[in-house]
């Protein structure tokens, strides 16, 4: 691909009331179209454009290239708000944070990528990593890469190549034009249907070396957001989707809890002891996990802003808070499902959206149960047992 082909000319609204209005409009449209996105198995480009206008796809573009980097907490609260309406769209929107990876590219490449605008949509299908043929000036890439969330609306895609001694074993990401690869429509899942996490296929596609970078490699840009731990941030933006899903589920249960009577003619569900206690416990658990999540985030962000050393313990705390948020959020949605009762088993019940989607983040490799064990190992002075952790 060439850098000239990477961007689409959609620009964020000016900071302030216009951008807030754009974000509110995007949420209103999402309420009307979320079922459409689930049925289509992806979030379409015209809706991605609304998120661009709301500033979500310049939130991790370096300031020196016209971006308006957002503090992680501010960005993730936006993702929470989207996820409370539709978690799958929140998952796609969360990759507005992923441009921090591109900071490892040569500076001249970054300058060209953002020359026509700071609002760039990036999606990656990085695994399984494939061996690429090294040729003069770059790589010939062949393979199929899975789980490219948001690929149907992306301006630029990343594919994973196996590293070697020169990368200290770290993987290489090669940036490609969506027009140069095949999107394999294989996203047939029970939860997060709308994320469009299809596969990417390429056959001897040439990628110039300047369009590649080491994933987790040193940033070539020195700004607060590029100092913030990128792998931990990648885990956090997925975990916060579950917090949004849990908020959406609780709010729904509170709304229907005020109904006058149940279908059996008994007292209103919300007036039953189990319903009242269940909703209160769910609220307390959600807000407790959320408080820890943002406390850890803000503590490390303050260090990034002050250009202070961010330690392994700091990074481990972010990973623990993210894993805990994903698992508690999932538990909260299941608690709400329990108290809502029989009606929630129907496929078209509104709670099914939150139930099916909230099960997914804690299944992600960055948030699975073994990350609890890895953090515990570090706390005890042992090896984490997971590559590149934290």
């Amino acid at each position: 691909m060439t850098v000239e082909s990477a961007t689409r000319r959609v620009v964020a609204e000016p900071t302030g009331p216009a951008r807030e209005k754009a974000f509110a409009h995007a949420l209103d449209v999402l309420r009307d179209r979320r079922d459409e996105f689930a049925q289509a198995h992806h979030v379409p480009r015209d809706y991605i454009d609304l998120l661009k206008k709301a500033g979500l796809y310049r939130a991790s573009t370096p300031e020196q290239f016209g971006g308006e980097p957002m503090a992680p907490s501010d960005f993730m609260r936006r993702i929470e708000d989207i996820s409370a309406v539709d978690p799958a769209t929140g998952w796609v929107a969360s990759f507005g944070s992923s441009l921090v990876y591109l900071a490892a590219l040569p500076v001249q490449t970054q300058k060209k990528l953002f020359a026509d605008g700071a609002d760039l949509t990036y999606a990656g299908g990085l695994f399984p990593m494939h061996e690429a043929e090294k040729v003069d000036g770059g790589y010939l890439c062949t393979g199929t890469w899975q789980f490219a969330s948001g690929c149907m609306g992306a301006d630029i895609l990343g594919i994973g190549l196996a590293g070697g001694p020169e990368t200290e074993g770290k993987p290489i990401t090669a940036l490609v034009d969506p027009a140069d690869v095949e999107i394999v429509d294989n996203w047939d899942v029970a939860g997060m249907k709308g994320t469009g996490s299809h596969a990417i296929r390429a056959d001897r596609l040439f990628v110039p070396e300047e369009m590649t970078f080491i994933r987790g490699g040193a940033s070539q840009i020195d700004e607060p957001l590029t100092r913030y731990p990128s792998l931990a941030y990648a885990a956090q933006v997925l975990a916060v989707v579950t917090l949004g899903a849990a908020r959406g589920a609780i709010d729904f249960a509170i709304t229907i809890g005020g109904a006058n009577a149940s279908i059996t003619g008994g007292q209103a569900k919300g007036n039953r002891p189990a319903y009242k206690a269940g909703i209160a416990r769910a609220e307390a658990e959600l807000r407790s996990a959320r408080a820890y999540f943002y406390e850890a985030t803000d503590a490390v962000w303050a260090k990034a802003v002050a250009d202070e050393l961010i330690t392994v313990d700091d990074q481990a705390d972010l990973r623990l808070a993210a894993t805990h948020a994903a698992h508690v959020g999932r538990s909260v949605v299941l608690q709400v499902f329990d108290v809502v009762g029989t009606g929630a088993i129907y496929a078209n019940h509104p709670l099914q959206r939150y139930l099916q989607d909230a099960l997914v983040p804690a299944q992600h490799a960055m948030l699975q149960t073994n990350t609890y064990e890895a953090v515990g190992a570090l706390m005890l002075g042992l090896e984490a047992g997971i590559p590149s952790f934290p």
Side-chain angles (χ1 to χ4, degrees):
M1 74 170 290
T2 61
V3 293
E4 289 78 8
S5 64
T7 56
R8 298 172 62 237
R9 310 304 194 271
V10 177
V11 180
E13 295 289 347
T15 304
R19 189 170 297 176
E20 293 302 314
K21 183 178 179 180
F23 184 66
H25 175 64
L27 292 181
D28 287 341
V29 172
L30 183 57
R31 291 183 185 95
D32 292 336
R33 297 184 62 188
R34 55 192 175 184
D35 291 337
E36 170 198 333
F37 299 169
Q39 292 166 9
H41 284 197
H42 73 276
V43 178
R45 281 184 175 270
D46 68 299
Y47 189 79
I48 295 296
D49 289 348
L50 296 184
L51 296 178
K52 285 186 175 183
K53 290 179 179 179
L56 289 179
Y57 289 103
R58 61 172 50 203
S60 62
T61 300
E63 188 174 6
Q64 73 178 76
F65 300 128
E68 298 171 36
M70 294 178 70
S73 285
D74 293 339
F75 177 80
M76 289 190 288
R77 287 188 177 95
R78 293 287 199 187
I79 302 306
E80 267 194 285
D81 289 343
I82 296 169
S83 301
V85 179
D86 182 48
T89 302
W91 184 277
V92 172
S94 78
F95 291 99
S97 67
S98 63
L99 295 185
V100 293
Y101 286 134
L102 306 192
L105 284 164
V107 173
Q108 279 302 113
T109 300
Q110 295 183 59
K111 185 176 180 179
K112 291 178 181 178
L113 276 174
F114 296 114
D116 293 320
D119 305 279
L120 188 66
T121 316
Y122 168 68
L126 302 179
F127 301 100
M129 291 177 290
H130 292 283
E131 296 280 352
E133 181 182 345
K134 188 73 171 69
V135 296
D136 186 31
Y139 299 86
L140 287 177
C141 303
T142 299
T144 300
W145 293 265
Q146 305 292 336
F147 304 117
S149 298
C151 61
M152 301 292 282
D155 300 319
I156 189 169
L157 299 173
I159 55 176
L161 308 180
E166 73 282 3
T167 69
E168 299 179 345
K170 293 179 180 178
I172 296 170
T173 298
L175 300 183
V176 302
D177 191 318
D180 293 335
V181 298
E182 177 189 359
I183 303 298
V184 182
D185 188 344
N186 67 346
W187 190 239
D188 184 13
V189 290
M192 293 291 182
K193 296 176 184 178
T195 63
S197 303
H198 302 296
I200 301 171
R201 181 180 293 153
D203 184 16
R204 294 187 64 78
L205 175 64
F206 175 72
V207 180
E209 189 160 10
E210 65 267 20
M211 296 300 291
T212 68
F213 62 91
I214 298 172
R215 187 168 183 262
S219 172
Q220 303 304 303
I221 305 296
D222 185 23
E223 294 183 5
L225 195 56
T226 63
R227 299 173 200 144
Y228 192 83
S230 60
L231 291 180
Y233 196 21
Q236 287 187 288
V237 298
L238 301 181
V240 81
V241 171
T242 322
L243 296 181
R247 169 50 56 205
I250 290 174
D251 289 350
F252 172 80
I254 289 172
T255 299
I256 66 167
N260 292 328
S262 74
I263 193 171
T264 62
Q267 64 181 338
K269 289 182 179 180
N271 201 34
R272 298 173 185 174
Y275 200 104
K276 290 182 283 190
I279 292 300
R281 281 196 298 267
E283 181 73 20
E285 290 179 21
L286 173 60
R287 289 169 65 179
S288 297
R290 189 176 183 274
Y292 171 37
F293 182 85
Y294 285 111
E295 174 193 314
T297 300
D298 292 339
V300 177
W301 175 244
K303 285 190 169 186
V305 171
D307 199 10
E308 296 177 0
L309 176 66
I310 295 173
T311 66
V312 170
D313 287 345
D314 292 328
Q315 295 175 62
D317 201 34
L318 293 178
R319 295 299 300 269
L320 179 58
T323 294
H324 192 59
H327 286 256
V328 171
R330 177 170 66 176
S331 173
V332 164
V333 174
L334 288 169
Q335 290 178 58
V336 173
F337 179 74
D338 184 46
V339 301
V340 166
T342 306
I345 69 173
Y346 285 91
N348 63 352
H349 192 278
L351 195 57
Q352 282 292 327
R353 170 181 296 105
Y354 301 112
L355 177 66
Q356 293 175 31
D357 288 355
L359 295 176
V360 175
Q363 298 294 109
H364 193 279
M366 299 190 81
L367 298 168
Q368 287 177 3
T369 303
N370 66 339
T371 55
Y372 276 117
E373 181 182 352
V375 174
L378 293 176
M379 292 171 68
L380 293 166
L382 306 172
E383 293 293 324
I386 299 177
S388 302
F389 191 93

